[in-house]
């Protein structure tokens, strides 16, 4: 069986390729939000890679649909008993934090229990509660990503204040800000942070704030319908005031480059993909790098070997090679 923990490319990006090209044939399990967001992330990646690569995307839209149709959608704490060669095993998704519907998996057989945490968050955020690891019984075996253990992040309020200072500084100088983001993983939390920032500061409301991906509208609509998967603070606000956190007043959604460019500058553009290797972020990158007052802001380390990782290399390179492609409609005479 395949267990999907989160809906981003790092966790679900190879699913369609594995079923279509590698002969994978097995059940797939995920929470409902992860299943739906995975499809949107793969759709966006397909379009973004197809625009930037002469070879096109490594999988088709039909292959994405076929792979995601195999997913059994579960609720948190819902236990599934496997059959066949895996008879006797049971699977249970538990809240992992970090992304909407993000799960850690408890795999049990008889008295043995394995807890699988490929990525989790122990910090409470605007959108989600923290993973409640201390409430779980001690497993026989723990498999966990220790990347977060090596990090030493600032407290949430300090991080958000620093982000606000950076954005305000460059916007006041007339420069646009490009923030490469994932399609529907951490970008949801970032949207809530920036929406609150714009709502609290009239000066920031002079500037545009754009969420740009091929599936941006669908992502926001899906997130708005998944309140039961969010933290207690969000659900309490909805119960008391009927306010949905994704009914944005300041974040403007765009699904094409033309829609984003139509917004007056200076502005902040959250554009996929997170490492700027493809998608709208790659297409906007040359203009941002050429503008003297613009800012290219990564909120997470880009994947090694990508243009984003090259730009953040230490020592900073004097030059970076960047190839871009653009689809140009043929004129009638051609």
């Amino acid at each position: 069986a395949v267990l999907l923990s989160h809906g981003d490319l790092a966790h679900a990006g190879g699913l369609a390729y594995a079923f279509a090209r590698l002969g994978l044939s097995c059940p797939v399990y995920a929470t409902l939000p992860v299943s739906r967001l995975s499809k949107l992330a793969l759709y966006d990646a397909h379009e973004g890679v197809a625009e930037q690569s002469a070879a096109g995307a490594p999988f088709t839209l039909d292959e994405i649909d076929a792979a995601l149709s195999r997913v059994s959608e579960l609720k948190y704490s819902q236990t599934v008993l496997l059959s066949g060669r895996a008879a006797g095993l049971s699977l249970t998704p538990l809240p992992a934090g970090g992304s909407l519907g993000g799960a850690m998996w408890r795999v049990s057989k008889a008295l043995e229990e394995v807890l699988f945490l490929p990525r989790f968050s122990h910090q409470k955020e605007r959108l989600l509660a923290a993973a409640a690891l201390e409430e779980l019984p001690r497993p026989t075996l723990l498999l966990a990503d220790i990347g977060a253990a090596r990090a030493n992040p600032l407290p949430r309020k300090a991080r958000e204040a620093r982000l606000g200072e950076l954005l305000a500084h460059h916007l006041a100088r007339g420069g646009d800000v490009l923030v490469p983001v994932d399609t529907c993983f951490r970008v949801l939390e970032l949207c809530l942070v920036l929406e609150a920032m714009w709502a609290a500061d009239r000066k920031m409301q002079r500037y545009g704030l754009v969420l740009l991906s091929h599936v941006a509208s669908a992502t926001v609509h899906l997130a708005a319908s998944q309140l039961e998967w969010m933290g207690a603070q969000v659900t309490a606000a909805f119960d008391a005031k009927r306010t949905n956190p994704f009914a944005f007043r300041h974040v403007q959604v765009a699904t094409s480059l033309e829609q984003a460019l139509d917004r007056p500058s200076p502005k902040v553009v959250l554009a996929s993909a997170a490492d700027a290797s493809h998608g709208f972020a790659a297409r906007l990158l040359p203009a941002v790098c050429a503008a003297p007052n613009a800012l290219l802001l990564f909120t997470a380390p880009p994947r090694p070997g990508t243009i984003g990782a090259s730009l953040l290399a230490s020592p900073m390179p004097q030059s970076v090679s960047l190839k871009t492609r653009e689809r140009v409609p043929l004129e009638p005479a051609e």
Side-chain angles (χ1 to χ4, degrees), residues 1-283:
V2 173
L3 309 180
L4 294 182
S5 296
H6 299 280
D8 63 328
L9 293 181
H11 295 87
L15 190 66
Y17 185 85
F19 276 108
R21 304 284 190 272
L22 304 180
L24 182 66
S25 179
C26 66
V28 183
Y29 297 95
T31 63
L32 185 148
V34 166
S35 173
R36 309 292 172 86
L37 293 173
S38 295
K39 179 177 285 191
L40 294 179
L42 288 169
Y43 280 174
D44 189 53
H46 176 276
E47 294 301 305
V49 172
E51 292 170 348
Q52 294 296 315
S53 171
F59 43 77
T60 68
L61 295 176
D62 286 341
E63 288 167 347
I64 295 173
D65 291 339
L68 271 298
S69 69
R70 295 173 175 265
V71 177
S72 296
E73 297 175 345
L74 306 178
K75 299 178 181 179
Y76 284 143
S77 301
Q78 179 181 349
T79 298
V80 172
L81 298 177
L82 302 185
S83 58
R85 296 172 60 184
L89 288 178
S90 65
L91 307 174
T92 308
L94 302 167
S99 75
L100 189 60
M104 49 187 172
W105 292 89
R106 183 167 59 203
V107 182
S108 304
K109 183 174 183 180
L111 298 178
E112 304 296 319
E113 185 174 287
V114 176
L115 190 61
F116 179 48
L117 293 80
R119 182 164 179 172
F120 63 97
S121 174
H122 53 74
Q123 293 185 335
K124 180 182 177 181
E125 298 180 310
R126 291 177 181 268
L127 180 63
L128 301 167
L133 298 178
E134 68 280 357
E135 298 178 6
L136 299 176
R138 184 172 181 174
T140 307
L141 177 65
L142 174 65
L143 301 175
D145 174 21
I146 62 169
R150 296 192 297 266
N152 187 25
L154 293 171
R156 193 188 84 185
K157 290 185 178 180
R159 292 201 309 271
E160 293 180 3
R162 176 57 178 153
L163 174 62
E165 292 170 1
L166 275 173
L167 297 180
H169 174 73
H170 286 272
L171 291 169
R173 296 173 61 189
D176 286 343
V177 179
L178 172 61
V179 186
V181 294
D182 54 80
T183 305
C184 47
F185 181 49
R186 296 295 300 160
V187 68
L188 298 177
E189 175 73 15
L190 183 57
C191 282
L192 295 188
V193 170
L194 296 179
E195 175 74 12
M197 195 178 295
W198 257 245
D201 191 340
R202 288 186 174 272
K203 292 181 179 179
M204 297 298 282
Q205 294 173 19
R206 297 179 296 180
Y207 310 120
L209 178 57
V210 182
L211 173 63
L212 173 61
S213 80
H214 292 95
V215 296
S217 294
T219 299
V220 172
H221 179 75
L222 175 61
S225 67
Q226 303 298 315
L227 290 176
E228 67 271 24
W229 296 85
M230 300 178 191
Q233 182 177 349
V234 172
T235 54
F238 180 78
D239 291 339
K241 303 178 181 179
R242 292 300 182 204
T243 56
N244 192 302
F246 290 97
F248 293 137
R249 295 182 59 189
H250 303 286
V251 177
Q252 300 172 306
V253 176
T255 56
S256 70
L257 194 60
E258 293 72 24
Q259 289 177 354
L261 295 178
D262 281 346
R263 307 309 200 265
S265 293
K267 58 180 175 285
V268 176
V269 181
L270 311 177
S272 62
D275 52 24
S277 61
H278 62 271
F280 292 123
R283 295 174 64 183

